Each structure stands twice: as C-alpha cells, then as structure tokens.
Amino acid sequence: MNIIVGVTSGIAIYKAVDLVSKLRKNKFEIDIIMTENATKMISPVVFSAVGNCPVYTDTFNVKNGWIIHTELSKKADLFVLAPATANTIAKISSGVADNLLTTTILALPEKTPKILIPTMNTRMYENKLTQENFEKLKKLGWFIVEPDSGHLACGDVGKGRYPENEKIIEAIYYMLDEKRLSGKKVLVTAGPTREEIDPIRYISNYSSGKMGYEIAKISKRMGAYTTLISGPTNLTPPYFIDEFIKVKTAHDMYTQVMNKFIDYDIIIMTAAVADYTPKVKSKEKIKKSENNFILELERTKDILKELGRKKRSNQIIIGFAAETSNIIEYGKQKLISKNADYIISNDANKVMGSDFSSAFLISKDKVIQLEGSKEKVAKDILTNIINN
Ligand code: CTP
C-alpha cells in the first residue's frame, strides 16, 4: 500500500517524523511531499531517512518526463496531510494549486482516501473561515482528525494540538478498510468486572479487555456503528468508535447491555463478567479478627443467557468462554445452554492478558480454529460472521 504524506510548516512538524517512522514499521510504502516552508523547519533528509522513502519538494524537478504531481497522485492508495496548516487547508479547499503539494492534492482521484491533521493556534482553528474550509473538505470526503486540546506552542491553551500518531494510523486503517459492516450496529462488552466487598476491596479476574477492544476497533474499521461497554481496564478506548461506556460491576454491565441491546444487529460478549458477587457489600472497611473470614457470594445475572432468551430473530449473539480444558466441548455446551449463535472458546491458560489469541469459533454446524494476534482474531471473527 502506498501512502503520500503531505507535510506543511506547523510547529508540530517534528511529530510527523514519528508518524512516518510508524508508517514504515506498519509496512506502508511512503512518498513524502513537503512545502518549502516545511523544509525550513526540518530537513527533507530526516524524513527521507526515517521513512526510507523519497521526499519531493520541487514541482519542476522533472526526470525523464516523470511529472511528479500527476504520477504521485495516480499511484497513492491514501493521502494524509500532517501537520496541515490553516493556509494549506484554505488553499486546498479553494482548489489552489501553487506548489507541488497543493498541485498533487488537486490531482488526486476522487476515490483516493484523504486524511487531514489540522494543527494550529486555537483562534485560527476556530476562525469561521477555517471552519468553513473544514466543512467544505468534509463534504468532499476528507476525513478530518480533530486536533487535541491543551498547551499550544504559542503559549495559549486550547484546541489545535497534533493528536497521537496512533490515532492517525488508526484513521488510515479506518479509511483503507472495506466497509463490510456498513449500516450495522455492533455492541461489544469487554474487560473484567469488579465486585465490591467493602470500600477498599473487590473480587475480579485477570481479563485485560484486549480482545473486546480489538473487536470494537475492527468493527468500527468495517463501518459498523460501534458501542463498547467496558469494565475497568488499563486500555485506551479504541479511536473513532461511536459510544464508550465504562462500568464497574456485573450488575452495571447487565443494566447497560439490557438498555442498549435491542437496537443492535450483532452483540459480542467478550467481558469476563463475575459469576458471583458478595451478598453483603460492607459500607465500612471490614476489620480483621483472629478468626477465619467467610464471605458469602450470590450469583449475578447471566447477561449472555438473558440475551439468548430475548434476542430478535435477526440478531446475532456471540459469547466467549475461557476454559482450561475440554475447550471445544465446553464451548459447544455453552452455545446450547445460552442459546447463542456463536461461542468463541478460548484456551484461558494461553490468552488471558496476552496480545495473542488461540480459540475456536463454534456455531451449530461448524468449529473454526482461530489463532494469531488479537487484532487478527478480531478480524477473523467478524469476517466469519459476515460470510456465514
Ligand atoms: N457472561 C455473562 N454474564 C455473566 C457471566 C458471564 O453474560 N454473569 C458471559 C460472558 O461475557 C461470556 C460468557 O458469558 O460471553 C461466558 O460464559 P460463562 O458460562 O459465564 O463462562 P464461565 O464464567 O467460564 O462459566 P463456567 O464456570 O460455567 O465455565
């Protein structure tokens, strides 16, 4: 895949060097176009070395009839402008083509995905002219990654900061992915739950939430309206998903899922919901004594089972199972007992907390083995469901 990175002279230009490095690590083939002002801030040599790629600056540097702006614009699978100054944004929204960068942009085919990373002073960002330019570009299909808020190079505090490069990379994957779940709504649960014993103690499990977060990310990439309901995790919520709801207990998760599920086409319960919760939750810290301590637990509501009972005929319900033995057999039993459409039965010893997954996708008539990074397995799960 070829990506053209357009670079203009925002102060955040040094962060674009890291973007290029990350694109290279993601195995993209890169071409870079810098404006003349951008080259006054960082030498093209830096970008070229980091990206292991050509850097173009001069429209008239034509070799063997290879006209740079037409050739580059033809070969690009995606174009990203990072950082994008207010000036270049104004030019491209008006169709101005007065340097190699803006000329190449004007020559990009309509279907080429285009991403804009605006970074500038807050007043310039909020200026109605700049906002109008954004609206115009959005209508033309540009994907604009909103700048972050915070301290700006000029000393002001406000909106206009360059976002995390991980977010830009996700925007790239989002724009490149086929939208096979377009028009669908996907609800994902993830992470552990915490069942309170007293104000400072709780019962939980080792679930990291990674599998659910990867599924939500891939679901969004595939074009679904995506909601993630998550127990406590250390993970950053997937970029660009439509709703992110934080919960703590099995009861909270039950309430949120029941409030929402009716509108969704696909519901994927990756959360490791506690099966038991303390019968009494002490309002005060429980003090130790010399005796043993017995904690009485009561069953929580089985959300998946209730979804299995209440689901509409065209809803797809997917449960997870974390097993330490008889992985396929226990998975098949859960498929029936919970009336789910699929159970993804995991080898708990291998997958809990890991970035890798080793699992079986079990439906009434098939068992498919899934293995690889959780990102790959997330894609395999959704693709198998769509194809079925
Ligand atoms: N689940 C749920 N509500 C609960 C408990 C679990 O919805 N109160 C869901 C999980 O999100 C997961 C699936 O049910 O999709 C796991 O099934 P479960 O029978 O709870 O598995 P285990 O907890 O491993 O149960 P067992 O001890 O029977 O193996």
Side-chain angles (χ1 to χ4, degrees):
M1 283 272 169
N2 173 262
I3 294 186
I4 302 182
V5 184
V7 181
T8 68
S9 60
I11 291 296
I13 186 172
Y14 65 99
K15 295 181 181 172
V17 175
D18 177 56
L19 172 66
V20 168
S21 160
K22 289 199 161 82
L23 289 175
R24 183 179 172 185
K25 284 184 193 131
N26 276 265
K27 308 264 185 285
F28 288 109
E29 189 218 325
I30 309 161
D31 286 294
I32 298 176
I33 306 174
M34 298 176 76
T35 59
E36 197 188 330
N37 284 342
T39 65
K40 290 179 190 160
M41 297 173 127
I42 290 190
S43 161
V45 176
V46 176
F47 277 101
S48 180
V50 169
N52 189 31
C53 65
V55 177
Y56 303 91
T57 54
D58 181 2
T59 319
F60 302 103
N61 190 8
V62 177
K63 285 192 187 111
N64 306 327
W66 203 81
I67 298 169
I68 305 171
H69 66 280
T70 53
E71 295 298 332
L72 281 186
S73 56
K74 248 193 304 194
K75 93 175 213 211
D77 293 300
L78 182 140
F79 179 90
V80 57
L81 188 53
T85 56
N87 179 45
T88 293
I89 292 167
K91 284 188 196 174
I92 58 180
S93 75
S94 314
V96 171
D98 65 345
N99 59 34
L100 180 61
L101 178 64
T102 50
T103 312
T104 306
I105 292 173
L106 198 64
L108 285 167
E110 206 180 321
K111 64 171 183 9
T112 306
K114 304 169 189 75
I115 301 176
L116 193 68
I117 315 298
T119 69
M120 62 198 73
N121 169 275
T122 308
R123 288 187 304 285
M124 293 168 82
Y125 177 76
E126 285 171 355
N127 189 305
K128 286 203 174 73
L129 284 169
T130 309
Q131 289 296 324
E132 269 176 26
N133 291 334
F134 289 145
E135 288 313 311
K136 217 164 152 186
L137 290 173
K138 272 188 217 165
K139 274 195 201 122
L140 294 170
W142 282 75
F143 185 88
I144 300 176
V145 179
E146 293 258 310
D148 286 351
S149 294
H151 286 274
L152 301 169
C154 56
D156 286 358
V157 176
K159 205 165 178 179
R161 280 173 62 86
Y162 186 100
E164 289 160 4
N165 278 322
E166 288 72 16
K167 190 173 182 181
I168 301 173
I169 304 267
E170 187 49 35
I172 290 171
Y173 282 115
Y174 172 74
M175 292 301 277
L176 287 175
D177 214 311
E178 269 183 277
K179 298 287 173 273
R180 293 193 67 197
L181 283 171
S182 169
K184 298 284 181 209
K185 288 184 86 175
V186 175
L187 177 65
V188 186
T189 67
T193 60
R194 281 184 188 168
E195 308 305 317
E196 212 172 273
I197 299 169
D198 70 11
I200 56 167
R201 302 180 180 98
Y202 59 80
I203 301 171
S204 191
N205 57 64
Y206 287 118
S207 167
S208 64
K210 283 179 192 162
M211 191 70 237
Y213 278 56
E214 288 297 337
I215 291 176
K217 179 178 91 180
I218 300 294
S219 153
K220 185 67 213 172
R221 278 189 199 172
M222 292 173 112
Y225 180 97
T226 304
T227 297
L228 175 62
I229 302 177
S230 173
T233 73
N234 293 322
L235 305 172
T236 308
Y239 301 112
F240 311 118
I241 63 169
D242 300 278
E243 292 181 55
F244 177 70
I245 300 166
K246 272 191 189 165
V247 295
K248 201 155 97 179
T249 65
H251 180 73
D252 297 341
M253 188 159 285
Y254 172 84
T255 312
Q256 291 292 347
V257 172
M258 288 304 141
N259 277 344
K260 297 228 155 257
F261 88 94
I262 203 76
D263 290 337
Y264 286 77
D265 302 287
I266 302 173
I267 299 145
I268 309 180
M269 290 285 306
T270 75
V273 186
D275 293 319
Y276 295 93
T277 190
K279 190 160 185 192
V280 178
K281 290 155 182 61
S282 174
K283 292 226 166 0
E284 297 290 332
K285 182 187 169 192
I286 300 169
K287 294 299 233 183
K288 66 177 166 298
S289 73
E290 290 311 314
N291 302 324
N292 287 346
F293 178 74
I294 295 172
L295 183 67
E296 194 180 349
L297 302 175
E298 63 182 4
R299 281 296 306 268
T300 56
K301 287 186 184 148
D302 191 324
I303 309 168
L304 182 61
K305 205 165 189 170
E306 191 146 338
L307 289 172
R309 268 199 298 268
K310 293 186 168 163
K311 72 171 177 173
R312 289 186 275 112
S313 60
N314 52 355
Q315 268 179 324
I316 299 172
I317 310 281
I318 300 144
F320 269 66
E323 307 293 352
T324 49
S325 61
N326 301 329
I327 300 168
I328 297 178
E329 208 36 55
Y330 286 145
K332 283 184 175 169
Q333 285 171 17
K334 275 181 192 156
L335 185 76
I336 294 164
S337 67
K338 312 240 186 189
N339 192 29
D341 298 287
Y342 298 91
I343 290 287
I344 290 137
S345 201
N346 287 276
D347 184 340
N349 291 324
K350 286 193 196 160
V351 306
M352 277 274 188
S354 161
D355 287 336
F356 287 85
S357 180
S358 171
F360 295 93
L361 175 73
I362 301 170
S363 61
K364 280 185 193 74
D365 46 9
K366 266 192 239 159
V367 176
I368 297 170
Q369 187 165 13
L370 306 172
E371 207 150 53
S373 69
K374 287 190 172 168
E375 181 180 279
K376 174 184 176 292
V377 169
K379 182 135 203 180
D380 289 346
I381 292 170
L382 289 170
T383 308
N384 269 293
I385 291 166
I386 296 168
N387 289 344
N388 221 342

